[in-house]
Amino acid sequence: MREIVQIDISGSDKPGITKALTQVLARYDVTVLDIGQSVIHNTLALGLLVELPEEPAGCPVFKELLFSAHELGLDVRFTPVAADAYEDWVAEQGQARHILTLLGREISAAQIAQVAAVVTQNQLNIEQISRVSGRITRRTTGAVDLTRTDIGVAVSANANRPQRPACVQLWLKGPVGDVGTLHASFLELGSQLDVDIAIQEDDIFRRNRRLVCFDMDSTLIQTEVIDELATAAGVGPQVAAITERAMQGELDFSESFRRRMALLEGLPESVLAGIAERLPITDGAERLIGALKQLGYRVAILSGGFTYFAEHLQRRLGIDDVHANQLEFEHGRLTGRVTGRIVDGQRKAELLREIAAREGIRLEQVIAVGDGANDLPMLSIAGLGIAFHAKPLVKEQARHSIATVGLDGILYLIGMRDRDLEALGRV
């Protein structure tokens, strides 16, 4: 077997480095087995795994590389690689890899250290770390006062734009015995650190999602519409109590829904328009959906709420499909009933399957997002099921959770970078 050598190069980055060094290797007919490079703040780290020719030309290669590197102001280190070590490395290809996404308003060294500790405890190795969110300025000018962040986007005291999430991704190598147990460990750690930690298998489906299905109430909007209707009808406390028990999974959704609807009997239809106009859109929803639509995603609302309000969001946000409950009116007032089948948790899962089948999309390519117990059926069958600012029961049972940032944090879970979003005009 020919001699294999690891070449590590570091120093200030500048144009022409790769060209100059590989030209040296080319003159000696050196084979490149692997290559990787990263640049942080104009500082280069370049690694090459090379196989030398059979001819005794190793010394001239190394000498010329050292000379070229010196001219470029670079440091070079050569490490021989044993044949067995190389073959062990080759044998690892094709094994499952996982991507850990660390997401928050800011990310500190202490948070990364504790995440890395859990990774190590599970006998996984970090192969690569990459910042996904954009660079941040440290400049303070005039009335703009930037807050301290470690990784991510700084916040100004009079910011005209909302704060963007901070995000880094870690590529992990090694067998994961029980993903559920690992998820639970990161969920607990995320709660302690006030960050979101998601771990996904790095497969083809992660990079090819095609459909996103959203719950509406407390997901796309920051309220429960039925509670808004109840307030207008003067039965707010009674309805809110039933809503909370349903979302916690203490009551069957359909039964709780009928109880709440009955309390709304007689509410004038004219009240609904004002409520629809005042619906508070969740932070990051417009950025997320706008980007997804530009990328060709199909977007659906699957809601246990009402079509009247879901269709209002459809027009505002450009949603493709809406499935919710149809309110029944008589003489301009609510009857306290809905027409057709109630959209409960099971129905949401059925609708998700139906839309995916109609569009020719595999379930692994579907993202589902919700906050309540009635969202768990659709979260469990989607390739990427996300509990968004969810109740404890939902966070524990869902495979992924976002609790510290807005809905646009989902963009990072599907591999988007801020520079990609900037190209779409969505930063």
Side-chain angles (χ1 to χ4, degrees), residues 3 24 49 78 82 96 128 131 141 148 152 174 196 214 222 246 248 259 269 272 300-301 306 331 400 404 408:
E3 185 178 3
V24 173
L49 188 65
F78 304 102
Q128 181 182 345
R131 172 179 50 82
T141 57
R148 176 189 175 276
D196 296 314
F214 292 99
Q222 296 176 308
Q248 295 289 352
R259 290 187 193 180
E269 183 177 358
L272 276 63
I301 292 176
F306 308 109
H331 310 296
H400 306 283
T404 64
D408 52 347

Side-chain angles (χ1 to χ4, degrees), residues 139-187:
R139 182 179 294 116
T140 300
T141 57
V144 179
D145 181 20
L146 298 176
T147 63
R148 176 189 175 276
T149 62
D150 295 282
I151 301 175
V153 179
V155 189
S156 64
N158 60 348
N160 294 320
R161 297 187 304 177
Q163 179 188 6
R164 298 305 180 208
C167 183
V168 294
Q169 289 186 342
L170 288 70
W171 276 256
L172 308 181
K173 180 180 73 173
V176 175
D178 186 346
V179 174
T181 300
L182 188 58
H183 164 75
S185 298
F186 283 126
L187 180 64

Side-chain angles (χ1 to χ4, degrees), residues 304-417:
F306 308 109
T307 54
Y308 184 99
F309 302 96
E311 289 171 354
H312 175 83
L313 290 178
Q314 181 179 32
R315 292 187 291 270
R316 177 170 175 177
L317 299 176
I319 306 293
D320 297 297
D321 299 286
V322 164
H323 296 276
N325 297 299
Q326 183 68 51
L327 290 166
E328 182 182 78
F329 298 93
E330 285 183 2
H331 310 296
R333 293 180 179 273
L334 292 180
T335 65
R337 298 183 298 273
V338 295
T339 60
R341 181 177 171 183
I342 293 175
V343 180
D344 58 7
Q346 188 59 40
R347 182 57 179 154
K348 287 186 179 186
E350 291 174 6
L351 289 165
L352 184 151
R353 289 183 184 274
E354 289 173 10
I355 297 171
R358 185 186 71 217
E359 298 296 326
I361 297 169
R362 294 174 56 122
L363 291 179
E364 293 93 338
Q365 295 177 277
V366 179
I367 302 170
V369 190
D371 74 296
N374 65 320
D375 295 310
L376 282 171
M378 73 171 181
L379 298 186
S380 67
I381 64 172
L384 180 61
I386 302 169
F388 180 73
H389 289 258
K391 313 300 184 291
L393 171 70
V394 184
K395 290 177 64 175
E396 291 169 7
Q397 295 190 24
R399 282 172 290 175
H400 306 283
S401 174
I402 290 180
T404 64
V405 299
L407 276 172
D408 52 347
I410 293 171
L411 292 166
Y412 304 110
L413 295 187
I414 62 175
M416 296 291 291
R417 298 173 176 268

Side-chain angles (χ1 to χ4, degrees), residues 209-252:
R209 313 288 188 193
R210 303 307 305 151
L211 168 66
V212 186
C213 296
F214 292 99
D215 174 44
M216 179 174 68
D217 297 62
S218 297
T219 300
L220 275 181
I221 56 174
Q222 296 176 308
T223 187
E224 294 284 331
V225 169
I226 198 167
D227 291 343
E228 299 294 325
L229 294 172
T231 299
V235 291
Q238 299 97 306
V239 168
I242 300 173
T243 298
E244 182 61 23
R245 292 183 64 193
M247 291 296 100
Q248 295 289 352
E250 298 174 9
L251 287 176
D252 171 76

